Amino acid sequence: MANGSAKRRPTIGMITAGPLIELAGEQWRGVSDGAQHLGCDLLCFVGNELDHPDLHKRRANTVYDLISPNRIDALVVWTTRVGQLVGSEGMQEFVKRYAPMPMVSVETSLAQWPTIMMDNRDGMEQAVDHLVEVHGKRRIAFVRGPQTHAGAQERFQGYLDSLRKHGIPFEPELITMPGSFIWEPSGAADAVRKMLIRLQEPPDAIAAANDDYAIGVVSALEELGFRTPEDIAVVGYDNHTNVRTHDLGYVTATGDWPPDRVRREVNIDAATPAFTTVRAPFHEMGVRAAELALALVQGRPTLPRQTMPTELIVRRSCGCLPSGLGDHAPAHGRLNISESATAATVADHLRSSLGPPSTRLPEGWAEQLIVELMAAGRGEVEGAEFLKLLAEYIRTSARAGCEPERWWPPLFDLHRFVTARISDATLVNDLWLRVQLLVGDAFATEARFKYLSHERHEQTVREAGQRLIASRDVDELTAALTEELPRLGIPGCHVMAYDSPGMARALVRYEDNQLQDHVSTPFPAINLTPYPFHRGQPFSAMCVPLYTDEDHLGYAIFEQGPEPGWIYEALQQQLSSALRGIRLMQELKDARARLEERVGETEAQLRHAQKMEAIGRLTGGIAHDFNNILTVVNGNSEMLLRRTPQDDPRRTAIEDIRHAGERAANLTRQLLAFTRQQVLHPESLDLKHNLTKVHSMLRTLVGDRIELELDLPENVARVWADAGQVEQILFNLAVNSRDAMPDGGKLTIAIADATLGPGDTGRIVGVRPGQYVVMRVQDTGAGMAPDVQAQVFEPYFTTKPVGKGTGLGLSTVFGIVQQSGGQIELISAPGKGTTIEVYLPVPHDHDGTPEAPCARRTTSHRGAGTVLLVEDDSQVRVMTRRSLESAGYAVIEASDGQEALQLATAHRSTIDLVLTDVVMPKMGGPELVRLLRSTGAAPAVIYMSGYTTDEVLDDEVLITKPYVESELLERVREALRQDA
C-alpha cells in the first residue's frame, strides 16, 4: 500500500474467513510476521465462508470485492478457511476475479499459482502409528472431516496408510463422518454415539480429523461410560485450544439427569486429558506464503508446490506422559532413560524449550539448575537452594512472556536425568514433589493473570462498544473512537461508508494514535481509502465489512495492535451497529426536515389558496354585478345601432360604446374563469389532436423571432376537460412566454402521462391523487424571481408596463385548471426561463363510456328508505342531510354514536341504512355498528372517513371525504340495493 514515498513498499493482501482466533489467528499472524520481516505491508480481508447458508454471514463477503491491484500487489488466499463449503472447484472459480494479480494459495492448489501445503497425510499417519507402536492399539476408529475440506480427506488417507503399514484390516464400521459442513464438536459427538451403540465391541482408540471433533469424541465416550485414555485412547489434529467459539449450547436434561436441569450439548469439560495431536504448522505456512508473495512481486522464480512438515505432540489422551527429549513415555510401566542424554543436552533442552525468553535469565542458569539438583539428590546440599533458583527463573521468564507450560518437558527430562545417575532417588523424588507444586502454582498464577487480562480486555471492549453504539452522528462516533482506540491498543482505524454502488466516503481517519484530516468526497471503494498510508515502518492491517441483516453499510480498516482477533471482530460488530444507528438517526432528521418543509409548503399553499379564494369571491361578485350593468349597456347600444342610420354622425360614438362593452364582457368572462363560476363543457380529449389543430395559430401568435417546438408523443392518455378552455390555457401561456422573450428564444410545448401521489404538491390544494396528463409550456425567457412567482397567479398582477397587459392571463389559467380538477406548477429562476406544468385529469371508463375521474355520475331515480346519519361535524351533517333529502330519503340525524344508539332503539324497525363517521367523540362508528348488530338489528352500513384508520370495519362500504353528492347518492343506492 502506498506510503507516500517515491518507491513504495509492496503490499501483500490476504483472504481469510473470520473470526481471527485460534487457528485462523495463527494463520493471520504467520502472514503478518512474514510480511513485516520482509519489509512489506499486509492488508488482511476478513469475510466468511463462500456460499454460507446464513444470509447474514454471506453479507460479510462483500469485503472480498474491495481487493484490486489499485492497492494490493500480491494475494495470499487461505483456501480452506474461505472455501470450506465450495471445495477446490468453487475456489478456482472464485479467484478468477483477481487475475492477473499474483497469488499464493495455502492448503489448496489454485491454477498456475504456487501452493503451500501441510503434510496432512503424514501427520495423521504418525498419530495412528503412535497408537499402534507405542500403545499396541489394533482396532482404531476414525472420525472423518467435511468432504469439502481437502486436508480432512488427506488425513483419512494417512489413517489408511498406517493401517496398511501395520497389516491391520480396514473395518468400514469403524469409520464415521458427522453430517455438518463445518468442524462442529456436537456433530462428532452424535456420530460417535451412534457408532458405539451400533458396534458389538468398542474400538481400542479413536482418531479424529481435528481437535474440535476430538472434543466431541471424548464427550460422547464419557456420556457412554468410557474413560479416556484408560478404556479408549483418543488422538486429534491441529493442536489448538479445546474451547472453541462454536455454539455448543445447552439442552434440557433427559434420561438419568436430574429434572429441571440443563446440561451442555457437548461437555467441553470432558476433554480433561490434554490431547495427543498433530501440530499444524500454520504460522510457518503463513510466513512462507508471505515470502512467496514477495518473490512473485519481484519476479523471482518460485516452486509450484511446497509442503510443510507437521509435528506429533504427545500428551495424555493416548495414554502417554510427555517426555523432554522427544521420546514417548507410556503412562503405565517403567520409564526408560535415553543413555545418550548428557548434562549438556539437558541444559540445551532447557534453553530451547523456553525459547527467546531464556536470554533474559542469568548466564549459565540451565547448568546451575542441573548442578544444584544433582547436589540435592546426593544429599550434599539442601533442596531449598534449587527451589529458590527455579522459582526465580520461572518468574523472570514469565515477565519475558514465557508460559509456565514450557518448563514441564525440560524439567521432566532433568528429573529423569538426575534419578538415573544417583543410587538413592528418595531425596530427588521428595524434591520433585515440591517442584510440581511450585510449577503448579506458576500455572495457577498464569491462569489467574490470563483470566483477569481477558476480563479486562472484555470490559474495555464492552465499554468502547457502548460508546460507539450510542453515537448519534459521525462526530460523536469519531470522538468515541479517538478516546477508546488507545485504550484497546489499536494504533489506526479507518471507517468508510458506502455512498452509492461501488463508491464510498471516508467517515473517520485515525492514524498514528491521532485523528487526521480527510476529504469527504466519494471515491471508488476498490481504492480502500481516498488517501495513501504514510508509515515509516511496515505495518499490518485488516479490512472488515460493516453490515446488518438488511444492508451493506461500509467497511473498516484496523491497523494491528493487540493479538487477540476477537477484539477486532467485536469492534466490527459495534461499528456496524453504530453506523446503522447513525443512518437511522439521519433518516429521522431528514424525514423531519422534509416534513417541516412540507408543512411550510402546505401552510404557504393554504394561505395562498385562502387569499385566492377571497379574491375570487370579491372578483366573482364584481363580475356578476358588472354583467348586469353590461347587459343594459350592450343591449341599449345594440338597439341604438339598429335605429341609427349609417350616415348619422352619432353612430361612431355608439359603436365605440358597443366595442367597449364587448371588451368589458370579455374581462368578466376571464374573471368568472378565475373564480371557477363559468360553465364548462368537459369531454374526453386527445391533447395531441387538439394541440396539432392550433399549431398554425400558435405560430402566428408567438411570431417569427421565437422557435416553436411541439413534443407530442403517441399513446398519451386522453384528458377530461373543456376543449375551448384548454385552448384558452395554451394561448394565455404562449402569450406570456412570448412577452418574456422580446429578443427571441425557444418555446417548447410537450405532453406526457403523469401520476400525482398523495405527497405531490402544486399551486392548487386538495387535488386528488391519480392519473393525469401533464402539458409543459417551457420558454427560454428572462425567468421570474421568487417574489414574482408567489403572486403570478393573482388577478391583475402583472410585471408588464401600464397598458401592456390586464394581469388576468395566468389567473385565468389558474381558475380553468382548478375548475377542471387539475393541478398547476411553476418552475422558474431569473435568467433560467420558465416552465409551467398543467396537469389535467384522465377520464375513467365506465361501461365503455368515458366519464369524469371523480365519478360524478348523476342518477335519474328517486331514493326511498330511512337513513340514520351519524356525523359530529355539523356542516358536513347538514350538507349530507340536504343531499339525501333532495334525493327522496328520510333522514334521522345524530351527532355521535351514543345519540345514534338511542335514536336507533326508538326507530329500530324503520332504519334501512346507517351512514356514520368512523372516528367521533363518545362512541365511534364501528362500535356503534357492533352494538346495533348485537341487538339483532342488521341495517346496511356505509362508513365515512377523511383519513385511513386502524379500526376493523368488517368489510363494510367506506366512502372517503371529501365526497361529491353524486358519489354519495350512488354509494347509498348501491348499499340499499345489495341489502335488499
Side-chain angles (χ1 to χ4, degrees), residues 849-868:
T849 303
E851 63 177 22
C854 54
R856 295 189 177 100
R857 296 195 300 274
T858 58
T859 56
S860 59
H861 82 290
R862 299 286 295 170
T866 301
V867 178
L868 174 59

Side-chain angles (χ1 to χ4, degrees), residues 825-842:
E825 183 60 285
L826 182 145
I827 305 163
S828 184
K832 299 292 182 65
T834 299
T835 299
I836 294 182
E837 297 179 341
V838 173
Y839 292 83
L840 296 173
V842 173

Side-chain angles (χ1 to χ4, degrees), residues 868-881 892-897 899-900 915-921 928 943-946 961 963:
L868 174 59
L869 172 62
V870 192
E871 168 61 63
D872 60 321
D873 188 302
S874 59
Q875 291 182 335
V876 175
R877 191 170 66 248
V878 169
M879 183 274 292
T880 305
R881 184 197 67 208
I892 302 171
E893 287 185 60
S895 60
D896 58 60
E899 183 183 354
L915 178 61
T916 176
D917 197 2
V918 175
V919 180
M920 294 179 291
L928 166 65
Y943 288 107
M944 303 178 290
S945 180
K961 301 175 183 177
Y963 47 78

Side-chain angles (χ1 to χ4, degrees), residues 924-939:
E927 185 180 358
L928 166 65
V929 172
R930 284 193 288 272
L931 290 173
L932 285 176
R933 289 181 172 169
S934 68
T935 64

Side-chain angles (χ1 to χ4, degrees), residues 375 396 599 733:
T396 303
V599 168
L733 294 179

Side-chain angles (χ1 to χ4, degrees), residues 67 135 273 338 450 531 544 553 590 623 774 834 854 861 920 929:
I67 301 170
H135 299 285
S338 172
K450 285 185 176 180
Y531 45 79
V544 297
L553 304 175
D590 292 344
V774 58
T834 299
C854 54
H861 82 290
M920 294 179 291
V929 172

